[in-house]
Amino acid sequence: RKMEGYRRFLALLVSALLLGFVAVVCSLVWVFRYREGLGWDGGAAEFNWHPVLVVTGFVFIQGIAIIVYRLPWTWKCSKLLMKFIHAGLNTIAMILAIVSMVAVFEYHNARNIPNMYSLHSWIGLTAVIFYSLQLFLGFAVFLLPFAPVPLRAALMPIHVYSGLLIFVAVIASALMGITEKLIFSLSAYSESPPEAIFVNCLGLLIVTFGALILWMASRPHWKRPPEESAKVQRPNGGAPEGVEAESTMTDCSNADRSDAGFNSDAARKRNFKLDEAGQRSTM
Ligand code: HEM
């Protein structure tokens, strides 16, 4: 059963990576084959950075960042290393998202097109603002060593929920942006020209990628098991709190945890108990 679960996870992961990668390639094919390519000249080629960077960073890289703790072969790495990878991928996504915003705003200003009039732009900018908040809070509370354990435990469910909500909002915004762009730039969208069909497919790819990421991120049994040295704290009258001792090691060579993969049945059972109580490890 363990092996079967591992295989299913791998199949989903490979599918998600493939879909996400193809979506990025499709966004490039769209702007090079059907549009004006890429450039930084205040014109249409500068606008085109907007969809390309957003699909690459805000959709694809953010999606990978969300599931990075769930890769079974990383469970023998220290949690701290995985946090750096999670935070690093999200930082890269954030930078690409910001550059993509600069591209549209410059394009609009150069052409005297009003800013921030569409629902797409409202949802999109809201997602960017909350994403930067999420990133800042994540760094401050979970990565830096200053936050007390009860605060980490209290904020973790919110961090998980708001992370998934932002990811969904980003995908919704991408779909609205794609639809707008097709309506703006095609004189006959309703006649289904090749560009319309191609870019509609890009939208489908993005939705399917998002669906796979959300599925992988929400299965309790694919969660990273708590560290072997986990201590269980019981605050006064409260439910048990999943709290791990943090390792300061940042490599993957800890022999003590070399069996922390799918082989660690005990760890997974403990993990499941924590999950039933709605708890997550926060260290
Ligand atoms: C404009 C955000 C994806 C097409 C904008 C604006 C924001 C934004 C804030 C307003 C810029 C301004 O008013 O100067 C986002 C976010 C996305 C995203 C966060 C991430 C999912 C896309 C995609 C496309 C797209 C995939 C497809 C081409 C457009 C278009 C505009 C625009 C055509 C100009 C019209 C308007 O303001 O609605 N976007 N966007 N966007 N975006 Fe996006």
Side-chain angles (χ1 to χ4, degrees), residues 244-267:
E244 304 154 15
E246 177 76 86
S247 164
T248 47
M249 288 188 14
T250 51
D251 70 334
C252 301
S253 59
N254 192 346
D256 292 343
R257 293 197 214 116
S258 58
D259 66 340
F262 268 78
N263 301 325
S264 178
D265 220 19

Side-chain angles (χ1 to χ4, degrees), residues 126-205:
T126 306
V128 174
I129 290 168
F130 276 89
Y131 193 63
S132 37
L133 247 160
Q134 172 92 350
L135 199 58
F136 175 77
L137 270 178
F139 264 116
V141 174
F142 303 115
L143 202 54
L144 299 184
F146 310 118
V149 167
L151 179 67
R152 292 173 182 234
L155 285 185
M156 181 46 71
I158 300 172
H159 178 81
V160 171
Y161 175 76
S162 54
L164 295 176
L165 187 62
I166 291 167
F167 183 62
V168 169
V170 162
I171 288 180
S173 176
L175 298 182
M176 286 188 275
I178 285 172
T179 306
E180 272 188 3
K181 182 64 179 173
L182 288 175
I183 292 173
F184 293 157
S185 55
L186 293 176
S187 52
Y189 190 8
S190 62
E191 284 160 32
S192 296
E195 178 179 352
I197 294 174
F198 183 79
V199 180
N200 286 356
C201 290
L202 169 60
L204 284 179
L205 280 173

Side-chain angles (χ1 to χ4, degrees), residues 30 50 54 101 105 108 115-118 120-121 124 170 174 177 180:
W30 180 18
H50 180 62
V54 131
M101 297 294 127
F105 278 91
H108 276 187
N115 292 310
M116 296 305 298
Y117 63 88
S118 64
H120 162 73
S121 62
V170 162
E180 272 188 3

Side-chain angles (χ1 to χ4, degrees), residues 94-110:
M94 177 80 216
I95 291 167
L96 297 186
I98 288 174
V99 176
S100 90
M101 297 294 127
V102 174
V104 225
F105 278 91
E106 279 199 12
Y107 168 74
H108 276 187
N109 295 341

